[in-house]
Amino acid sequence: MARIELNNIAKAYGPVEVMRDINLTIDDGEFIVLVGPSGCGKSTLLRMIAGLEPISGGDFTVDGKRMNEVPPRDRDMAMVFQSYALYPHMDVARNMGFSLEIRKAANEERVSKVQEAARTLGLSKLTERLPKQLSGGQRQRVAMGRAIVRDPSAFLFDEPLSNLDAALRVEMRLEIARLHQRLKATMIYVTHDQVEALTLADRIVVLNAGDIQQVGTPLDLYETPANKFVAQFIGSPTMNILEIEPKQGGLSLKNGANLGVGLTNAQAGARELGVRPEHLNIVSPEEAHISGTAELVEHLGSDTNIHANVPGIGQVLVREHGHFALKSGDPVGIALDLEKTHLFDADGRRLAA
Amino acid sequence: MSTLRNSSPLAVTGKYLALGFYVAFALFPLYWLVKIAITPDKLIFTEGTALFPSEFTFENFQTVLIATDFLSYFKNSVIVSVGTAAITTAIAAAAGYAFSRFVFRGKRLIIALMLITQMFPLLMIIAPIYKIVAAVGLLNSLTSLIIVYTAFNIPFATFLMQSFFDGIPKDLEEAGMIDGCTRFEALRKIILPLTLPGLGATLGFVFTAAWSELLFALMLINSNDTMTFPVGLLTFVSKFSVDWGQMMAAGVLALVPSCLFFIFIQRYLVQGLTSGAVKG
């Protein structure tokens, strides 16, 4: 159990500063997901919290105690690595109990804790196997078991599911969610997969190029993204971004189509309009804001993705619910759900009404 | 294995023929060594190049063990080789670990210097080495050989160890440190058991190099008491004749420790000790 605070955390490699002014407060028992594209610094941040990477500046505190210089073994945090990092020469039981072995815990305590963790993870029959005799999913479970046995104040996950196949990933994701519900421990989870972020997180931290872009609940990020980066990163398929020209008498798209909405004063600097594919609808030509041709139609069963080519605007992706009878080459009229659009200024910041 | 399944019988036969030829080619001198060792002296020249001697004898071995100083040479060689192998491997393992895991000032320079030491023919530095050893009064001592061999073997052994450490994922010791180990504990409990093949290979390599070294042993050792085996072999060459049979018998005996050593370490040389640690 721990409340973790990052105050103006910075990271530099020699003279190269890769991260600065990172501020984040993680409440006791909270599930925080750090998400962002490769190279955004999310893993580095996690490794700084773990103590594997020195912190170049700022204060890192756990329950009010400064931990910047505390070595990893004294931080009372468990970490699940992307590569699992199981000790190849130890069997499953010893792998899971290794932290207790190092702390010289009593034998009975170690055995009972390992057994309990193995039972909850469905590993009871595998405790005498070596890591090389396990499948990917089983190794992943052992890595989690090793963390559970510790009973740490915080769990750190570094892209734990990215080496698993799709089906297993969904299963393990549920398992992690269950684990969090049961243990109510503070968890910090790094991923580049926004689906994992949206499904697991109490709050998501979106990072890009060493900067925090936005911190918020999954729904916050989906509904009120702070900027174009977050808007495009969260949500699948990606949000459409259309160029606009503010004119007298309402908002116009680049091809001249007038949307018939006025801009507030705060929105005067708007340059682009973002709208998610699910907030676009295929409609009859009279109701349409814009029209074009369907270039590619993907029938997914639950949804239909229509990649439309709109003259003067370019590619627009529309997502219709269920099966939608449309072939590539068909003319389409598209209406925007004007309640659900976002306006961005020249710097990509979202402009609220 | 999949390539085997698809290849024609002809290709398979060809492959085994090539392998067989190579093995025969590589082992023939060894065979000749053994053959001459068990051929009675009187037949060595009369039978010439016959593949099998018409008579066998173990007399040469007997003579070598009882009538010569062979056992003393042998003992000296064991001391020098084991000492060199142990010291070199210990230093090389520590250096290799540092090169593999740490970033520090001058790392590239040190690596470059170590490479440069490997570029010169040993002949060039015999004279200065002799002067140094003589100046510190270590001529005719086994210690001088251990020091010199250690110095020459460390660069290569370090690169060898470094590559073994590079093959062990960093995640493992980080996991260990998070689990409560100090870096040194993680090294001892996690990395070291996984490096046994590397340590075995390095020990074996250095041991054999020291075991068969002649040049420095010849220069630095004159007294019969501290002669190592390769120098001792030369005593079988006298002014007027060469005692081929005894020399070969001594050679066969000298192979024994190397063979034992490799039998002992070969189980650590098996690949795949780290499999299962990380994905894949």
Side-chain angles (χ1 to χ4, degrees):
Chain A
M1 299 294 121
R3 179 187 158 90
I4 295 169
E5 267 180 90
L6 308 177
N7 292 318
N8 300 318
I9 292 291
K11 176 70 192 171
Y13 293 102
V16 188
E17 198 169 51
V18 293
M19 226 180 247
R20 57 182 304 180
D21 295 340
I22 297 284
N23 288 293
L24 184 66
T25 303
I26 300 167
D27 279 327
D28 189 13
E30 202 174 15
F31 199 125
I32 287 282
V33 175
L34 306 177
V35 70
S38 336
C40 70
K42 54 191 191 299
S43 282
T44 308
L45 190 56
L46 190 79
R47 289 168 58 81
M48 289 199 283
I49 293 172
L52 296 174
E53 199 77 61
I55 299 171
S56 318
D59 291 312
F60 165 61
T61 65
V62 175
D63 289 330
K65 236 174 65 203
R66 189 180 138 101
M67 299 287 248
N68 285 39
E69 283 81 27
V70 176
R73 62 177 184 279
D74 296 325
R75 294 196 182 192
D76 193 23
M77 294 185 185
M79 182 153 165
V80 178
F81 289 79
Q82 176 177 11
S83 64
Y84 318 142
L86 302 180
Y87 312 127
H89 54 303
M90 301 180 190
D91 64 17
V92 167
R94 198 164 163 226
N95 256 291
M96 286 168 63
F98 187 68
S99 56
L100 298 175
E101 186 182 319
I102 291 292
R103 286 184 170 71
K104 304 200 166 51
N107 221 3
E108 305 87 63
E109 183 199 346
R110 195 177 77 220
V111 171
S112 79
K113 276 195 171 169
V114 168
Q115 273 174 354
E116 194 197 322
R119 205 167 41 243
T120 39
L121 291 166
L123 291 168
S124 296
K125 287 187 181 135
L126 305 173
T127 49
E128 278 163 26
R129 297 236 190 131
L130 288 174
K132 65 176 170 213
Q133 297 163 315
L134 301 176
S135 70
Q138 289 165 340
R139 286 180 202 173
Q140 176 62 60
R141 276 168 212 271
V142 176
M144 275 166 57
R146 191 165 67 183
I148 295 172
V149 167
R150 294 269 309 270
D151 193 16
S153 61
F155 286 82
L156 311 176
F157 295 90
D158 189 5
E159 309 213 20
L161 306 183
S162 50
N163 286 332
L164 300 176
D165 60 51
L168 210 51
R169 202 177 298 176
V170 175
E171 192 187 319
M172 292 308 293
R173 206 172 71 205
L174 278 174
E175 200 116 351
I176 292 176
R178 251 181 244 134
L179 187 72
H180 181 239
Q181 273 174 12
R182 194 160 54 80
L183 300 175
K184 308 228 181 322
T186 311
M187 293 189 176
I188 307 176
Y189 187 107
V190 162
T191 181
H192 61 265
D193 179 355
Q194 48 131 341
V195 180
E196 278 173 31
L198 292 167
T199 50
L200 287 170
D202 290 326
R203 280 192 305 155
I204 297 176
V205 178
V206 182
L207 286 150
N208 186 32
D211 275 324
I212 292 186
Q213 302 290 314
Q214 191 174 3
V215 182
T217 66
L219 218 55
D220 280 346
L221 300 192
Y222 181 83
E223 287 179 344
T224 50
N227 55 37
K228 201 166 101 183
F229 178 82
V230 177
Q232 289 198 288
F233 195 80
I234 299 291
S236 173
T238 312
M239 181 184 279
N240 293 296
I241 301 288
L242 313 174
E243 281 180 51
I244 53 172
E245 281 160 13
K247 273 191 191 159
Q248 292 281 314
L251 196 60
S252 289
L253 295 179
K254 210 173 102 197
N255 68 346
N258 195 318
L259 298 178
V261 271
L263 293 177
T264 62
N265 282 342
Q267 293 172 326
R271 288 288 175 278
E272 283 170 317
L273 176 138
V275 58
R276 297 192 184 278
E278 51 269 41
H279 301 142
L280 290 173
N281 288 303
I282 303 291
V283 293
S284 64
E286 305 86 65
E287 296 170 83
H289 292 112
I290 48 177
S291 26
T293 13
E295 254 188 2
L296 179 69
V297 182
E298 298 167 333
H299 298 283
L300 305 175
S302 62
D303 297 295
T304 308
N305 291 340
I306 301 126
H307 298 263
N309 193 1
V310 179
I313 289 180
Q315 283 282 335
V316 175
L317 176 58
V318 183
R319 180 184 221 177
E320 284 287 354
H321 216 59
H323 177 61
F324 203 79
L326 202 67
K327 299 192 305 292
S328 33
D330 286 353
V332 287
I334 301 169
L336 285 74
D337 183 346
L338 294 172
E339 298 284 291
K340 302 262 172 76
T341 56
H342 309 275
L343 292 172
F344 302 106
D345 69 9
D347 297 328
R349 276 192 300 266
R350 180 174 180 275
L351 302 169
Chain B
M1 283 296 130
S2 60
T3 50
L4 242 176
R5 213 183 321 136
N6 300 329
S7 42
S8 69
L10 203 68
V12 175
T13 321
K15 193 170 85 181
Y16 282 109
L17 271 178
L19 278 174
F21 174 75
Y22 171 72
V23 171
F25 186 77
L27 290 182
F28 188 77
L30 270 183
Y31 167 73
W32 210 248
L33 180 80
V34 177
K35 186 218 134 180
I36 292 183
I38 58 172
T39 306
D41 271 349
K42 57 183 174 164
L43 292 180
I44 285 183
F45 295 106
T46 54
E47 286 192 352
T49 53
L51 267 182
F52 301 101
S54 52
E55 268 179 63
F56 297 103
T57 176
F58 287 102
E59 209 179 295
N60 287 327
F61 289 94
Q62 227 173 351
T63 324
V64 165
L65 288 174
I66 295 161
T68 70
D69 287 332
F70 177 80
L71 283 179
S72 149
Y73 305 152
F74 195 87
K75 189 191 79 194
N76 291 337
S77 262
V78 168
I79 293 172
V80 169
S81 306
V82 170
T84 306
I87 298 173
T88 306
T89 307
I91 296 174
Y97 182 76
F99 282 138
S100 168
R101 292 297 198 258
F102 302 136
V103 181
F104 53 89
R105 199 188 297 261
K107 179 169 163 179
R108 292 166 63 101
L109 182 73
I110 296 174
I111 290 179
L113 282 176
M114 281 171 61
L115 270 176
I116 288 172
T117 64
Q118 301 291 291
M119 288 177 189
F120 298 100
L122 291 182
L123 275 171
M124 274 176 60
I125 44 171
I126 279 195
I129 291 277
Y130 184 88
K131 286 281 262 183
I132 294 169
V133 173
V136 294
L138 281 175
L139 283 179
N140 278 324
S141 75
L142 296 179
T143 321
S144 68
L145 286 185
I146 294 181
I147 293 173
V148 172
Y149 293 170
T150 302
F152 283 124
N153 279 306
I154 276 178
F156 184 78
T158 301
F159 293 133
L160 200 62
M161 282 311 300
Q162 183 193 348
S163 71
F164 279 104
F165 283 119
D166 283 344
I168 298 175
K170 247 181 159 170
D171 282 1
L172 283 182
E173 63 215 287
E174 292 184 344
M177 289 195 282
I178 284 187
D179 266 352
C181 296
T182 58
R183 182 173 274 279
F184 189 71
E185 269 178 315
L187 176 64
R188 192 163 56 85
K189 295 197 170 174
I190 296 163
I191 305 303
L192 195 67
L194 300 174
T195 325
L196 288 180
L199 289 173
T202 311
L203 275 173
F205 170 80
V206 179
F207 180 89
T208 355
W211 185 259
S212 53
E213 207 284 334
L214 174 65
L215 200 56
F216 282 93
L218 199 58
M219 291 306 299
L220 301 177
I221 307 284
N222 286 316
S223 87
N224 203 44
D225 296 342
T226 48
M227 263 184 203
T228 58
F229 164 76
V231 186
L233 259 195
L234 294 178
T235 60
F236 291 97
V237 183
S238 64
K239 204 166 180 185
F240 302 107
S241 71
V242 179
D243 229 329
W244 289 114
Q246 288 177 22
M247 198 183 203
M248 296 301 155
V252 171
L253 290 172
L255 280 176
V256 174
S258 291
C259 291
L260 284 180
F261 198 81
F262 274 94
I263 290 170
F264 171 68
I265 62 168
Q266 65 94 20
R267 66 192 162 119
Y268 297 115
L269 292 175
V270 195
Q271 288 294 307
L273 215 65
T274 55
S275 69
V278 296
K279 65 174 171 173

